Amino acid sequence: MAGLVSRRLFRRASAVIPGGVNSPVRAFRAVGGTPVFMRSGRGAWLQDVDGKRYLDFCLSWGPLILGHARREVVAAAGRALRRGSTFGAATEAEVALAEAIRQAVPSMELVRLTSSGTEAAMSAVRLARAFTGRDMVVKFSGCYHGHVDSLLVAAGSGATTLGVPDSAGVPEAWARTTVTVPYNDLQAAAAALRRWRGRVAAVIVEPVAANMGVVLPRPGFLEGLRELTARHGVLLVFDEVITGFRVCYGGYQRICGVKPDLTVLGKIVGGGLPLAAYGGRKDVMRLVAPLGPVYQAGTLSGNPVAVAAGLETLRLLKALKPYRRLEERTRSLAEDIRRCARACGAPVTVNQAASMMTVFFTEHPVTDYASAKLADAGRYAAFFQALLESGIYFPPAQWEAAFLSAAHGERDLDRAARAIGRVLTAGS
Ligand SMILES: *Cc1c(COP(=O)(O)O)cnc(C)c1O
């Protein structure tokens, strides 16, 4: 349960901020209780305003692959800040970051920096529409691409029917430019492209889905999308906001060998500051202003402080090569949780990819949004609250990814495995 100071702050916050938070999932609505207000983070640990410490597996929803307040990243951002926080003019470091991104993700031949993943995804879709001269977008249920109007769309009544708004305030007309099909369902994607032949600008996908909990692509799914989109003259957009620099130094495209036309990055690439990017084929990116007619701009785009944090994070990731060890540790934690769930008869499915995983409270395999929805959110809420009590901070909602960072040591993970074991055993 949240401490006294958190509860007092939440009352104050609720009087001036909708729901007391600046992003809805922080409000703990999915797990109940008062949200915990944080004061500081260091390495794998968070400290709240009441002084309680937590081993953090949420990591700001993904950006903090090096843990909180990594010394070198703090120093780089601090140096940039002292030189001036923003100029609204071009700087050398932006060039270096774009070069580093292109080197790590070669399909991003030209790169544009933005301030949020939402903005980058929105811009990629606008660009795809301009390039193809078509209006429609195919997305997958359970994938999230930021709160862009035409992407806040739920599936209609059939796999190839037009979408319906997934948020109030999204015009029906805009939702009808989106077709939502089940993740991992190549047949449905093919049917949608056939049904809307000549009308679809882009297929946008999280190559490993992480916003309905972690859901891995079936073998052949991404390759199939590449083949289908090429055949229909549709751009393939990989939203690698979570997977970018999370699964390897680069994107998941480096692992699966599928080359998208456009890629969206965010989270890790900004080193914990507000920065994201989109980029891709030169002939497509050439349409972006000032080279071309697709308008896209930002007062704080390529902000020097965020760029410095991002550059330093990429430099460290390249030097430290933490990926193999991160993956081994995450796989071993996932295996510990599965073993414990089997031993105490808890109905749990753990999906894991690289250093991300989700503990789904269902015994069924989770391969798409429909199967993810079978998970018991109430049981997850109890799991979350019990972990919180014992100083482990998991994402405060069932359908989210938990992350590990390079700052999570063996001892931290043993501690987490033991706490999770106790919680699962007590709950059964
Ligand atoms: C977080 C996320 C976004 C949105 O990024 P913001 O910076 O929150 O706007 C887009 N796509 C994916 C896959 C994400 O996980």
Side-chain angles (χ1 to χ4, degrees):
M1 191 169 93
L4 201 62
V5 184
S6 275
R7 280 183 280 152
R8 206 179 297 139
L9 272 176
F10 190 55
R11 269 198 303 278
R12 253 178 76 197
S14 301
V16 284
I17 302 173
V21 291
N22 282 309
S23 198
V25 75
R26 296 179 198 169
F28 279 29
R29 292 281 170 107
V31 289
T34 303
V36 177
F37 280 61
M38 298 303 173
R39 179 161 61 201
S40 61
R42 198 187 168 86
W45 291 84
L46 275 170
Q47 185 167 35
D48 75 12
V49 288
D50 287 279
K52 186 173 164 77
R53 283 168 32 95
Y54 308 88
L55 195 49
D56 186 9
F57 290 92
C58 186
L59 293 167
S60 191
W61 306 94
L64 301 177
I65 192 166
L66 296 171
H68 293 273
R70 173 87 189 194
R71 185 171 46 84
E72 298 93 328
V73 176
V74 171
R79 282 194 301 273
L81 183 56
R82 282 189 293 275
R83 284 193 299 268
S85 61
T86 177
F87 309 117
T91 60
E92 180 177 348
E94 292 164 82
V95 186
L97 182 56
E99 286 169 347
I101 290 172
R102 188 179 58 184
Q103 193 255 326
V105 188
S107 72
M108 297 175 79
E109 296 167 355
L110 290 175
V111 181
R112 176 55 70 79
L113 302 181
T114 65
S115 299
S116 74
T118 294
E119 208 188 337
M122 174 185 78
S123 307
V125 167
R126 181 182 301 150
L127 177 60
R129 286 173 166 153
F131 182 80
T132 56
R134 305 168 177 179
D135 287 343
M136 292 175 64
V137 173
V138 173
K139 77 177 283 285
F140 295 90
S141 325
C143 283
Y144 176 68
H145 307 291
H147 60 96
V148 180
D149 281 311
S150 66
L151 297 176
L152 273 185
V153 170
S157 53
T160 62
T161 57
L162 299 173
V164 295
D166 204 15
S167 160
V170 172
E172 293 269 353
W174 294 14
R176 283 199 299 271
T177 63
T178 305
V179 180
T180 302
V181 298
Y183 191 76
N184 270 328
D185 189 341
L186 203 51
Q187 257 63 52
L193 290 187
R194 269 198 312 274
R195 166 78 179 80
W196 304 101
R197 190 186 299 276
R199 311 254 322 257
V200 177
V203 170
I204 185 167
V205 66
E206 290 178 74
V208 178
N211 283 288
M212 51 178 140
V214 173
V215 176
L216 280 73
R218 283 209 176 96
F221 175 58
L222 299 169
E223 293 81 350
L225 289 181
R226 178 65 285 181
E227 194 271 319
L228 266 177
T229 46
R231 183 143 44 84
H232 285 270
V234 171
L235 296 189
L236 180 60
V237 183
F238 272 11
D239 182 344
E240 301 228 39
V241 170
I242 283 195
T243 50
F245 298 99
R246 166 62 61 185
V247 295
C248 67
Y249 188 81
Y252 190 73
Q253 55 196 271
R254 181 158 246 174
I255 292 172
C256 68
V258 173
K259 189 174 166 189
D261 301 296
L262 295 173
T263 298
V264 184
L265 296 174
K267 300 202 166 105
I268 291 173
V269 78
L273 272 83
L275 185 143
Y278 69 102
R281 272 167 51 186
K282 231 178 224 168
D283 59 331
V284 181
M285 288 298 291
R286 277 216 181 96
L287 293 189
V288 176
L291 285 183
V294 177
Y295 193 70
Q296 182 265 311
T299 302
L300 294 178
S301 289
N303 172 262
V305 183
V307 165
L311 254 181
E312 185 61 14
T313 297
L314 298 200
R315 190 189 68 76
L316 286 165
L317 288 173
K318 204 170 180 181
L320 299 171
K321 302 186 174 59
Y323 292 102
R324 181 184 305 219
R325 197 164 67 178
L326 269 169
E327 171 144 25
E328 279 165 8
R329 287 182 173 174
T330 312
R331 189 183 306 129
S332 144
L333 180 60
E335 204 33 67
D336 285 347
I337 298 172
R338 287 186 195 111
R339 194 176 318 114
C340 174
R342 271 196 305 274
C344 66
V348 160
T349 294
V350 184
N351 280 4
Q352 174 255 329
S355 52
M356 45 193 190
M357 67 172 175
T358 298
V359 179
F360 290 102
F361 281 85
T362 169
E363 57 214 347
H364 304 288
V366 176
T367 58
D368 57 13
Y369 194 51
S371 48
K373 279 292 172 193
L374 295 176
D376 184 336
R379 284 193 82 152
Y380 183 85
F383 172 75
F384 167 86
Q385 293 292 357
L387 285 182
L388 191 71
E389 214 49 52
S390 59
I392 309 277
Y393 192 77
F394 252 53
Q398 166 71 91
W399 293 284
E400 300 288 353
F403 297 99
L404 263 70
S405 81
H408 287 70
E410 297 280 5
R411 285 229 319 268
D412 296 326
L413 295 172
D414 287 345
R415 180 197 189 100
R418 278 197 310 274
I420 292 169
R422 276 195 307 273
V423 166
L424 287 177
T425 307
S428 65

